[in-house]
Amino acid sequence: MSSERIVDAVQQMKGGGQAAPDIAIAARNLSKVYHLYEAPSDRLKQLLFGRKRQYYKEYTALNNVSFQLPKGEVLGLVGRNGAGKSTLLQLICGTLTATSGDLAIHGRIAALLELGAGFNPEFTGRENVYLSATVMGIGQKEIDDKIEKIIDFSGVRDFIDQPVKTYSSGMYVRLAFSVAISVEPDILVIDEALSVGDGDFARRSFERIMAMRDAGKTILFCSHSLYQVEALCTHVIWLEQGQVRASGKPEQIVPEYQSFLDQFDNKSASAAPIKSVEDERVDAEPVDDRIALQSVSEPKNADVPFSKESVLGSGARLTRMTATADGVSGKVLQLLSRVSHLHLDIEFQTTLVDETPQVALVIHSAGGQLITSCGSWVDGVSPCIDSQGNGRIQIVFEQLPLLKGTYYIGVLLFCERGIFLHDNADPAITLHISQPNKERGVVYLPHRWWVADKAVAQNDCSAPEAMPSAPRWRLLSANDVSQTALLTLFEQVFGAVLNPLVWRWKYRFADTPGSVVLENDRLVAFSGGIPRAGLVFGQPESMVQMGDIMVAEDVRGVLGKKGPFYLAMKDYLAPRVGPGRRYSLAFGFPNERACKVGVIRGLYNIVDKILEPRWTPLPGTEAQSCSPTLIDAATDQNWQQQVDRLWQAMKQDVSDVAIGCRDSQWIKHRYIDKPMADYRLYFVSDATENNLDGQIIGLLVMRQHENKGLELLDMLGSRSSVPALINAARQITSTCQAAYLFAWATPSVLEWLAGTAPQINATEVVIPGCNINGSEHALRVKDRWWLLGGDSDFR
């Protein structure tokens, strides 16, 4: 049976009860025992004489495994080979039956295990699509509607009517993957690979999996890549010898498991050493002292530049790196601990249009132990890329604190999320570190000795100083505190309970929800950021919405630069917002009184404001002048194409403003995927009584309020279509029997509304811009923001 099997609705094993509505997978005391026979004849003996004697040995692959996977979560499975991970995945997918225990699954499953296992080699690619789809429980009509998209995504259209036995292994797996993900599952099971195939398809398959995660699908991810597990998962289970050894948050379990592996590596005398760059022998002389990096798809040759004519299969490839220490460049460097400066200049080439690749470095000891790592995206820095797609970034390790020994530096080129690996060269540089003293270990930690009440500086015993007290405030990433603590602070500050699903939706695309401040381990402040792609005067730029600024009531009066409000804001904004940083601009929606605190402290300037235009419903006699149609995203297969077409038309009219992207991906995330949302999306056409076949000219997003008003949250279309869109919105207001139509809008939006005769009301809401890394950068869009209520996360 194919491992891409689909499990519809609720599948149960061994009579278990129904899973809770918010639980995708529930396992209770799940066990799997295999019978191992020394000879085939022993199976027959067991059937005939099994009551008197046992002719097999038992092997317990799983032993009383219990867990629950909530909907929308990403569960990581880690463990050594033979720990039971694959067995558990096969039980969940239904390709194995449990020996004992209960398993309840709520939703449809797609599994990326042995892709193509159900293909018939004599059938054509098209016939195998229908065969696999039938096995997975997809109806004929559904697969008829999807087959063209499956073929296009797989990239095997020219061979789709040829027997798959003539396919290459890459073509085979691409077609199988395309079928497996076409079922729009509720639960995705992944064994090891976050992408399949190679080159461009690997990147596209990764993006498809990430899109499913971002859409709130439940994912079960089994991998030996601990970095990917920690970056992707919300919860981790560690299996050892068929049992759950530990489970919890990734930042807790992954280090424990890594330490466990390191202990085994240290005990293994046969562990193979990492191959040094200097062990590579090539006949060609280096063109210069710079080091050309090895592509994952090319033979390693550390002395020859990577060919720029090579095909950039995944869209980005490393090309060269210059390593310099103490004025000497090369691939093998001699450094003095805590004295030498190490400078690395990394170059790459990219053909990606909508993504800036990110660079990471890893440093390993000679024994293979990971000493440290760093990533440009983690530090809020993006490489520079010229018009030809040549990227470059530099990094300096000042007074490198590694202690004596040999170390290897690897260079990795990641996607913007820091998960998908475009290319790597590991190891790329060899470092030989020497030191004048006898200190042992791998790294020097800055320290000071204390004698009674005196601080003794290194090499100086005459520096009396009082013992420093512990700081009152402690800064952390929001990833390092529990979601429960964050939501509790939210309720205390705003007086409302926020559903955890909404919190996860809000910060789904962020590397961290924000920065937090603790006072004696109590969470007292939070500053968040919600990423947003946009256009500034017609050019694409990355933005971030400042959101959920929270300070506990009892410390709200500490407003200085050493207080929790300022510390949280600066810790989040300073490394991320401004020229050359991840986000060029930041914006928010505070009231003017709250904003003044940040202005006084130099955190931001007020760059715009929110007004409230209001219209009366369209009278019944005029109600047929436009044609709005409610969108059903579940059945309308073309709505995203229409939205993207409208956004392309709108982009032509926004070259004089700063505006957030409004493509179909963002519209879907903001209004369709938001949990417990009650938005209504309407397409508006120019159809009339005399011309019923009108063209769609715009999109409206509406929401009914308890005060009997109908809010226009968003609109999409060319500037010339706005009068017709407002008429349609007023018609919808009349149909809904709402008292009036209103919107939140900046003055730049009101310029588009000229001629629609709204009544303009003032609000207390202003738009701040981040001032930390230079006010000029934020002030370049002063009074030019194009924002509606839908640009916030809370309307």
Side-chain angles (χ1 to χ4, degrees):
M1 181 178 293
S2 169
S3 61
E4 295 92 4
R5 182 174 176 271
I6 299 302
V7 183
D8 292 301
V10 178
Q11 175 193 15
Q12 296 186 34
M13 294 184 181
K14 297 289 184 180
Q18 292 279 341
D22 59 342
I23 298 297
I25 302 175
R28 180 164 57 89
N29 299 328
L30 206 60
S31 297
K32 178 64 178 178
V33 179
Y34 290 98
H35 293 172
L36 305 181
Y37 296 91
E38 291 186 359
S41 59
D42 288 343
R43 292 181 181 272
L44 178 60
K45 294 176 182 178
Q46 181 65 34
L47 289 174
L48 298 175
F49 312 114
R51 293 185 178 180
K52 297 180 179 180
R53 178 183 170 185
Q54 181 174 300
Y55 291 88
Y56 59 82
K57 296 179 181 179
E58 290 188 344
Y59 173 74
T60 302
L62 282 182
N63 186 11
N64 290 328
V65 171
S66 299
F67 69 91
Q68 287 189 334
L69 176 56
K71 292 181 179 179
E73 297 287 336
V74 182
L75 174 64
L77 280 181
V78 299
R80 294 183 298 159
N81 291 334
K85 304 186 300 297
S86 296
T87 300
L88 178 58
L89 295 184
Q90 291 181 67
L91 290 176
I92 290 171
C93 295
T95 56
L96 285 178
T97 302
T99 304
S100 62
D102 301 328
L103 179 64
I105 299 173
H106 191 266
R108 172 183 277 188
I109 288 182
L112 305 182
L113 303 178
E114 299 175 10
L115 287 169
F119 278 8
N120 186 322
E122 302 296 331
F123 286 10
T124 67
R126 188 184 304 273
E127 290 167 341
N128 271 298
V129 170
Y130 279 94
L131 173 64
S132 292
T134 301
V135 171
M136 291 188 288
I138 306 177
Q140 177 79 21
K141 184 178 184 307
E142 185 177 355
I143 198 61
D144 286 342
D145 293 338
K146 294 179 177 179
I147 190 166
E148 292 304 315
K149 292 182 179 179
I150 293 173
I151 296 172
D152 286 340
F153 190 85
S154 69
V156 299
R157 178 171 292 279
D158 292 342
F159 307 95
I160 194 64
D161 292 310
Q162 300 297 319
V164 297
K165 67 181 181 181
T166 65
Y167 286 14
S168 68
S169 59
M171 295 166 61
Y172 199 88
V173 77
R174 294 204 305 267
L175 184 61
F177 176 87
S178 302
V179 177
I181 61 170
S182 68
V183 300
E184 298 177 3
D186 303 301
I187 304 167
L188 183 64
V189 178
I190 306 170
D191 190 5
E192 195 57 49
L194 276 178
S195 61
V196 302
D198 52 20
D200 179 66
F201 190 83
R203 181 172 62 87
R204 291 193 292 119
S205 63
F206 166 79
E207 291 173 349
R208 186 64 175 267
I209 292 173
M210 291 300 97
M212 297 174 74
R213 184 199 72 163
D214 295 340
K217 303 297 184 183
T218 304
I219 296 178
L220 182 57
F221 178 42
C222 173
S223 179
H224 290 287
S225 173
L226 298 186
Y227 171 77
Q228 289 185 332
V229 169
E230 191 165 3
L232 183 68
C233 300
T234 56
H235 195 88
V236 174
I237 291 178
W238 171 10
L239 290 178
E240 179 64 23
Q241 296 182 346
Q243 295 180 307
V244 176
R245 176 153 177 169
S247 67
K249 295 179 72 65
E251 55 267 29
Q252 171 195 353
I253 302 302
V254 169
E256 290 182 12
Y257 178 57
Q258 183 63 66
S259 298
F260 173 78
L261 294 179
D262 290 341
Q263 291 176 9
F264 271 89
D265 290 341
N266 292 335
K267 293 177 182 178
S268 175
S270 60
I274 289 184
K275 194 174 185 181
S276 166
V277 172
E278 62 184 332
D279 293 333
E280 293 294 324
R281 303 303 180 194
V282 293
D283 296 327
E285 289 296 324
V287 211
D288 52 30
D289 285 330
R290 296 184 298 172
I291 299 163
L293 297 181
Q294 163 208 3
S295 163
V296 291
S297 60
E298 293 291 320
K300 178 188 284 189
N301 186 337
D303 291 321
V304 181
F306 182 78
S307 171
K308 292 186 178 180
E309 285 73 36
S310 298
V311 177
L312 301 181
S314 72
R317 282 289 182 265
L318 293 164
T319 55
R320 190 182 293 279
M321 182 172 73
T322 307
T324 306
D326 301 328
V328 178
S329 297
K331 61 181 179 180
V332 180
L333 298 174
Q334 306 288 335
L335 294 88
L336 187 61
S337 176
R338 297 171 53 206
V339 174
S340 299
H341 300 303
L342 176 63
H343 180 279
L344 303 176
D345 188 349
I346 302 156
E347 300 175 38
F348 61 88
Q349 189 178 26
T350 177
T351 58
L352 302 174
V353 177
D354 55 352
E355 177 186 319
T356 301
Q358 302 294 314
V359 174
L361 298 177
V362 292
I363 301 179
H364 287 90
S365 68
Q369 182 182 8
L370 177 63
I371 304 303
T372 188
S373 64
C374 59
S376 58
W377 70 95
V378 178
D379 296 327
V381 179
S382 288
C384 294
I385 300 177
D386 64 20
S387 57
Q388 283 75 44
N390 297 311
R392 183 180 182 185
I393 194 169
Q394 302 177 58
I395 185 171
V396 176
F397 294 94
E398 297 180 345
Q399 296 178 324
L400 192 68
L402 294 174
L403 296 181
K404 59 180 178 289
T406 298
Y407 301 89
Y408 305 109
I409 298 181
V411 184
L412 305 98
L413 192 63
F414 279 101
C415 69
E416 284 186 326
R417 300 170 184 259
I419 301 177
F420 178 75
L421 182 64
H422 289 295
D423 197 6
N424 75 337
D426 188 12
I429 302 295
T430 300
L431 305 179
H432 294 304
I433 312 290
S434 60
Q435 66 188 62
N437 50 45
K438 304 299 183 184
E439 290 173 312
R440 299 183 61 191
V442 293
V443 65
Y444 170 83
L445 297 179
H447 60 273
R448 298 165 73 184
W449 294 98
W450 290 87
V451 178
D453 292 332
K454 295 182 179 181
V456 182
Q458 278 194 306
N459 304 319
D460 180 7
C461 296
S462 60
E465 186 179 326
M467 177 72 79
S469 59
R472 179 180 180 184
W473 314 111
R474 185 156 59 100
L475 282 161
L476 291 175
S477 163
N479 288 333
D480 297 327
V481 298
S482 71
Q483 186 182 51
T484 301
L486 290 164
L487 294 178
T488 299
L489 181 62
F490 185 96
E491 183 178 358
Q492 292 170 352
V493 172
F494 297 113
V497 176
L498 185 68
N499 189 290
L501 293 176
V502 177
W503 180 271
R504 289 197 290 271
W505 162 85
K506 187 184 301 190
Y507 295 105
R508 181 175 294 164
F509 298 108
D511 59 330
T512 174
S515 295
V516 300
V517 176
L518 276 66
E519 181 186 32
N520 298 325
D521 295 328
R522 179 176 70 101
L523 179 61
V524 296
F526 170 84
S527 173
I530 304 167
R532 179 81 182 272
L535 298 174
V536 179
F537 306 133
Q539 299 301 313
E541 294 191 18
S542 296
M543 311 167 178
V544 64
Q545 179 198 333
M546 299 177 283
D548 297 325
I549 311 302
M550 303 184 288
V551 181
E553 185 176 5
D554 59 322
V555 297
R556 236 171 257 172
V558 188
L559 297 176
K561 289 190 175 182
K562 295 183 179 180
F565 167 74
Y566 182 88
L567 291 174
M569 293 290 293
K570 185 175 181 180
D571 186 69
Y572 180 79
L573 295 173
R576 291 178 173 84
V577 181
R581 288 168 171 80
R582 181 181 305 180
Y583 309 116
S584 64
L585 295 172
F587 65 96
F589 297 87
N591 61 52
E592 189 170 8
R593 181 176 60 84
C595 189
K596 281 183 178 179
V597 178
V599 172
I600 292 171
R601 296 300 167 204
L603 291 169
Y604 34 70
N605 285 317
I606 296 177
V607 296
D608 222 320
K609 60 184 177 181
I610 292 291
L611 301 172
E612 185 185 281
R614 185 177 291 197
W615 300 266
T616 58
L618 195 66
T621 55
E622 304 177 37
Q624 301 303 318
S625 61
C626 49
S627 179
T629 304
L630 186 65
I631 299 175
D632 184 352
T635 59
D636 188 342
Q637 300 293 322
N638 298 317
W639 77 268
Q640 290 178 296
Q641 297 177 8
Q642 293 285 3
V643 167
D644 287 332
R645 181 182 63 80
L646 294 172
W647 171 235
Q648 290 301 318
M650 188 175 187
K651 285 168 65 174
Q652 307 303 312
D653 296 329
V654 295
S655 60
D656 59 339
V657 296
I659 185 173
C661 176
R662 282 165 162 76
D663 61 9
S664 60
Q665 183 179 359
W666 187 80
I667 293 291
K668 181 176 183 295
H669 167 72
R670 175 63 180 86
Y671 301 114
I672 296 176
D673 293 343
K674 183 177 181 181
M676 297 168 291
D678 54 354
Y679 306 121
R680 298 179 183 177
L681 282 69
Y682 296 88
F683 278 135
V684 178
S685 74
D686 56 5
T688 64
E689 292 182 357
N690 298 324
N691 179 19
L692 298 179
D693 299 324
Q695 183 181 10
I696 291 177
I697 60 171
L699 173 76
L700 300 173
V701 182
M702 319 284 285
R703 184 185 181 192
Q704 185 83 48
H705 283 259
E706 295 180 358
N707 62 4
K708 303 187 183 299
L710 190 66
E711 182 176 4
L712 173 61
L713 277 165
D714 218 333
M715 62 179 176
L716 188 57
S718 66
R719 184 168 182 169
S720 61
S721 67
V722 169
L725 296 180
I726 295 301
N727 276 346
R730 294 175 63 195
Q731 175 184 334
I732 296 168
T733 306
S734 178
T735 303
C736 294
Q737 299 182 338
Y740 55 88
L741 171 71
F742 75 101
W744 268 19
T746 54
S748 292
V749 178
L750 293 182
E751 294 175 9
W752 286 41
L753 300 175
T756 64
Q759 172 189 335
I760 307 298
N761 300 317
T763 75
E764 296 181 350
V765 180
V766 295
I767 308 298
C770 179
N771 198 35
I772 291 178
N773 293 309
S775 60
E776 299 82 2
H777 196 68
L779 291 174
R780 66 193 173 107
V781 294
K782 183 172 173 59
D783 301 326
R784 297 314 302 159
W785 276 104
W786 202 101
L787 297 172
L788 284 162
D791 287 296
S792 72
D793 62 286
F794 54 86
R795 297 294 287 179

